[in-house]
Amino acid sequence: MTAPGGRGLGRARRWRLVRAHSDAVPPSVRRFMARARQRRIRAALPWATVGGVLVLAGLAAWIVYGTAVFGVRDVRVTGTEILSEDQVRVTAAVPQGEALASVDLGAIRGRVAALAPVGEVVVSRDWPGTVVVAVVERTPVAVVSQGKQFVLVDADGVAFHTVRSRPSRLPLVKVPAPGPDDPATRSALRVLAALSTELRAELAAVVVEGPARIRLELRKGRTVVWGDATESETKSRVATALLARKGDTIDVSAPDVVTVR
């Protein structure tokens, strides 16, 4: 059994040995070794930083793309008047719960754009969990009667919505089969675009019976024989100037030689 004093002497001897060993290394060597350690630490620090950044980036990517932490929880629809928000949501078919970053925005846009009243659509992400569907509906410029109903037509000739009663603010176009590829529809819209404010105020309908058989039906039973859709701006100016004259028929089909009867 070692006496307490003996243990103290042993520790003292060990300390003197360590101190002696440390003192045996010259100060210049110790400084050199310290600088070497610092250089190694400085050299390793950028790699350690890059490694840490990559780990954090990988973790963030896994959270965003591989988990439902940032999953789709809501679909927000804006810009609808003819369509309802629910119609757009059903057509968009956004997968609920799927990682927001992985949602195919192009596919959603394509599905919504196929709806007839949609002129433009923008689909975007609103973090942390919302898909935004911004719709711009087509603007009607005319209506076409079909039986007891009326079809709204935009400036491109697209028939996109059916209503039961005619909107009073829209001119009536009489063509057999409205559509963007229909020559009669394109001619009617070309004539409409050229009409003066005065002619529009008197207009009841644009009737297209053939490529060169276009006429305007005005209020109070008056008619403007238009001919074809060429020179529509000139025909509009001439017809407007002749509105004040008496007569039920204004013929501007050849705008250089007009008649009123």
Side-chain angles (χ1 to χ4, degrees), residues 59-161:
L59 179 61
W62 176 73
I63 292 173
V64 171
Y65 288 93
T67 73
V69 173
F70 293 102
V72 176
R73 295 177 176 80
D74 186 30
V75 178
R76 186 164 70 246
V77 177
T78 65
T80 56
E81 291 184 12
I82 295 172
L83 295 167
S84 70
E85 293 183 8
D86 285 341
Q87 281 178 295
V88 175
R89 286 193 185 94
V90 170
T91 302
V94 180
Q96 292 291 317
E98 181 175 325
L100 183 60
S102 301
V103 172
D104 189 341
L105 301 185
I108 297 171
R109 182 167 53 250
R111 290 191 289 269
V112 175
L115 292 169
V118 175
E120 296 178 17
V121 58
V122 176
V123 183
S124 59
R125 300 177 178 90
D126 186 9
W127 298 92
T130 301
V131 172
V132 181
V133 182
V135 172
V136 178
E137 293 182 340
R138 298 182 185 276
T139 301
V141 298
V143 294
V144 178
S145 61
Q146 290 191 336
K148 295 182 179 180
Q149 296 181 319
F150 297 87
V151 178
L152 305 183
V153 178
D154 73 354
D156 295 322
V158 177
F160 63 90
H161 187 57

Side-chain angles (χ1 to χ4, degrees), residues 22 34 36 45 66-67 132 167 196 214:
S22 300
L45 186 59
T67 73
V132 181
S196 65
I214 303 172

Side-chain angles (χ1 to χ4, degrees), residues 140-249:
V141 298
V143 294
V144 178
S145 61
Q146 290 191 336
K148 295 182 179 180
Q149 296 181 319
F150 297 87
V151 178
L152 305 183
V153 178
D154 73 354
D156 295 322
V158 177
F160 63 90
H161 187 57
T162 301
V163 294
R164 293 183 178 180
S165 58
R166 174 189 168 187
S168 59
R169 62 185 177 85
L170 295 175
L172 179 65
V173 170
K174 294 182 180 180
V175 294
D181 299 323
D182 174 46
T185 302
R186 292 200 301 268
S187 295
L189 294 176
R190 185 174 175 183
V191 171
L192 272 177
L195 295 184
S196 65
T197 303
E198 293 83 356
L199 279 174
R200 279 184 172 272
E202 295 296 320
L203 183 67
V206 178
V207 182
V208 183
E209 296 177 334
R213 297 172 60 196
I214 303 172
R215 70 176 187 273
L216 307 184
E217 294 180 349
L218 305 183
R219 303 182 191 281
K220 299 180 180 179
R222 303 182 78 187
T223 300
V224 177
V225 178
W226 204 267
D228 60 22
T230 62
E231 300 184 86
S232 286
E233 288 78 9
T234 301
K235 293 174 181 180
S236 175
R237 288 195 299 271
V238 173
T240 300
L242 297 175
L243 280 177
R245 292 194 184 182
K246 293 182 180 180
D248 294 331
T249 303

